[in-house]
Amino acid sequence: MRTIEWKDGTVVTIDQTRLPNTVEFLNIRNCEELSLAIEEMKLRGAPLIGVAAAYGLALTAHHSEAREKEELLRELENTADMLRRTRPTAVNLFWAVNQVLKKAGEVEGDVKALAEVVVKEAQKMADEDVEINRGIGEHGSELIDDGDVILTHCNAGSLASVDYGTALGVVRTAWRQGKRIKVIATETRPKLQGTRLTAFELKRDGVPVTLITDSTVGYAMSKGLVKKVLVGADRIVQDAVINKIGTYTIAVLAHQHGIPFYVAAPTSTFDLTHSSKEITIEERSPEEITTFSSQRIAPNGVSVLNPAFDITPLMYVSAIICETGILPTTKLKKAIR
Ligand code: MRU
C-alpha cells in the first residue's frame, strides 16, 4: 500500500513512530489530527509531509459546512496556517499548501465545486509524487555501478514519500536493473529513522543493508567500505542542501575521502529564492536526546542542542538527482544567477 491514502473522507497513513515492530494505520479525520501527526513525526519526510498537507486542506474542504465559496476559502486559509506551523524546514509542505490554495483561488464554480477541486488536487499531488520518484530512480540509477556500496542517511524511502522514495528510489531502480549493490544505513540519531525505517524498507525489498551508528561513518569511509553517498533533502537553497542532522558531517567526510556525494530530491524541494541563512532550522524537544526508550538517560537540568536538520554547502555536493535529470551543482549555481 501507499504510505498515505485518501479513503472516503479520511486520510489513512502508517504511524511511523511504531515501526518496525508494529504496523499501525491511522485514520485521520480532520486537519487538527493531521497537524499533530506531522508534529509528532507519525508521518515525516519532506515529500510525504507535502502531500499530507495537501490532504489536510482536502479534509477541511470535504467536511466543511460552509455555504458560500468565500467562507470555505477562509477555512482553507486557516487550515493552511495551522499546517505551516507544524514543521518549518521542509519546503515541500509550504509548496504543497501554496499549490492547493492557488488552485482553490482559481475555482469559478460554487462551494461544492471548490471542495471537489481541493480534494482532486491533493490526490493528483499524491499520484504525481510516485511518478516523480520513479523518474528520480531512473535518472539516479545511471550513477550507480554494479557492486557499489552506497551509504545513506535518515530515511528517504517510500515511507518518506507516497511511494518508492527519492534516495531509496534510486537504490530500488538500480537493484531492479540487476546491479548487485549494498547499502550502509546510518542509524540517524536521535529519532533513528535509519534503524527503524530504512533498514526495514530495504530488508523488505531484499536489498543487502548494513546498519551503522552515525559516528561510524568516518571509520567506514577510511576503510574503503563506502563507494557513494546518496541522501534526500528537505530544502535545496541557493547555496546549500538542507537535510537531516548529520548530513553535513557525512558530506565533509565524503569530500575528504574523495567519495561522490549525491542528493536525490524532487524539484518541489528546490527553494532557489532563498539562501541557507534565511531558513529556519527546526529545533526539537530536548527529551529526544535526554531520554531513550522513555527512560531518562541524561542528568537533570543538562542543556541540549537538538536541531533536526543541518546545512551542507553545495561545494560538497557532487550532483542533485531530480525527476528532470541529473543536475551538477555548477549548473544549479548558474541557474540562480
Ligand atoms: O525529520 P524527518 O524524518 O522528517 O527528516 C527526513 C529527512 O531529512 C529526509 O532525508 C528528507 O525529508 C528527504 S525524504 C525523501
Side-chain angles (χ1 to χ4, degrees):
M1 127 181 207
R2 288 182 172 190
T3 307
I4 195 162
E5 277 181 348
W6 176 264
K7 273 196 187 144
D8 308 324
T10 58
V11 172
V12 183
T13 188
I14 301 167
D15 182 349
Q16 299 194 28
T17 59
R18 308 208 60 199
L19 287 172
N21 295 332
T22 307
V23 179
E24 183 184 310
F25 292 97
L26 303 171
N27 290 294
I28 299 176
R29 284 167 216 88
N30 56 54
C31 190
E32 286 77 14
E33 284 175 22
L34 186 83
S35 298
L36 194 63
I38 294 176
E39 264 168 37
E40 292 177 345
M41 293 176 66
K42 289 183 174 169
L43 47 116
R44 33 65 53 200
L48 181 62
I49 61 176
V51 171
Y55 275 140
L57 291 162
L59 285 172
T60 296
H62 184 81
H63 295 290
S64 172
E65 289 173 7
R67 292 196 185 166
E68 302 293 331
K69 203 168 80 176
E70 287 62 37
E71 195 186 342
L72 178 51
L73 282 171
R74 275 195 301 278
E75 289 176 6
L76 290 172
E77 284 292 350
N78 292 340
T79 300
D81 285 345
M82 186 191 301
L83 289 162
R84 290 189 188 110
R85 284 193 296 269
T86 54
R87 298 193 74 189
T89 307
V91 75
N92 307 60
L93 187 146
F94 300 88
W95 172 85
V97 166
N98 293 342
Q99 285 277 109
V100 176
L101 287 185
K102 185 167 172 278
K103 280 273 171 214
E106 289 164 3
V107 173
E108 287 185 352
D110 61 4
V111 66
K112 194 163 167 272
L114 171 59
E116 278 169 13
V117 165
V118 171
V119 174
K120 238 191 188 164
E121 188 60 21
Q123 282 179 309
K124 185 166 153 253
M125 216 174 256
D127 292 341
E128 280 172 1
D129 181 71
V130 184
E131 285 315 303
I132 285 169
N133 290 345
R134 288 190 189 273
I136 291 173
E138 284 296 321
H139 292 299
S141 65
E142 289 168 26
L143 298 167
I144 308 300
D145 297 312
D146 192 33
D148 269 353
V149 180
I150 300 161
L151 184 138
T152 192
H153 186 53
C154 193
N155 171 264
S158 53
L159 288 164
S161 58
V162 177
D163 203 359
Y164 211 68
T166 57
L168 291 193
V170 174
V171 166
R172 279 199 170 97
T173 304
W175 179 253
R176 286 175 191 179
Q177 287 169 345
K179 292 178 184 165
R180 285 157 297 174
I181 52 177
K182 291 182 180 158
V183 175
I184 294 179
T186 55
E187 59 175 355
T188 317
R189 287 284 300 153
K191 298 290 279 182
L192 302 173
Q193 291 93 327
T195 307
R196 296 185 302 100
L197 310 176
T198 298
F200 169 74
E201 275 194 36
L202 293 173
K203 286 287 286 174
R204 193 185 53 186
D205 280 13
V207 181
V209 54
T210 301
L211 194 59
I212 61 170
T213 62
D214 295 2
S215 40
T216 302
V217 173
Y219 174 85
M221 287 186 178
S222 72
K223 289 288 176 190
L225 302 179
V226 178
K227 290 284 172 278
K228 277 156 197 166
V229 177
L230 192 50
V231 295
D234 287 84
R235 201 185 276 245
I236 298 169
V237 290
Q238 290 168 349
D239 55 335
V241 168
I242 300 173
N243 190 48
K244 179 52 53 194
I245 189 76
T247 303
Y248 173 49
T249 317
I250 296 171
V252 174
L253 278 164
H255 184 77
Q256 175 68 19
H257 290 92
I259 297 168
F261 180 95
Y262 298 117
V263 173
T267 45
S268 55
T269 303
F270 286 73
D271 174 17
L272 301 181
T273 56
H274 291 108
S275 75
S276 54
K277 281 199 192 92
E278 299 168 289
I279 306 306
T280 304
I281 299 293
E282 178 184 2
E283 180 78 30
R284 293 192 61 87
S285 126
E287 282 73 40
E288 288 183 355
I289 293 184
T290 56
T291 60
F292 196 80
S293 278
S294 310
Q295 281 222 303
R296 178 133 194 130
I297 52 168
N300 285 329
V302 72
S303 75
V304 165
L305 174 68
N306 186 20
F309 304 99
D310 62 19
I311 299 161
T312 301
L314 289 184
M315 66 166 280
Y316 295 112
V317 180
S318 312
I320 297 172
I321 307 156
C322 49
E323 70 273 24
T324 53
I326 298 165
L327 199 62
T329 41
T330 44
K331 242 189 176 170
L332 183 71
K333 282 180 201 150
K334 268 191 203 141
I336 297 162
R337 263 189 238 127

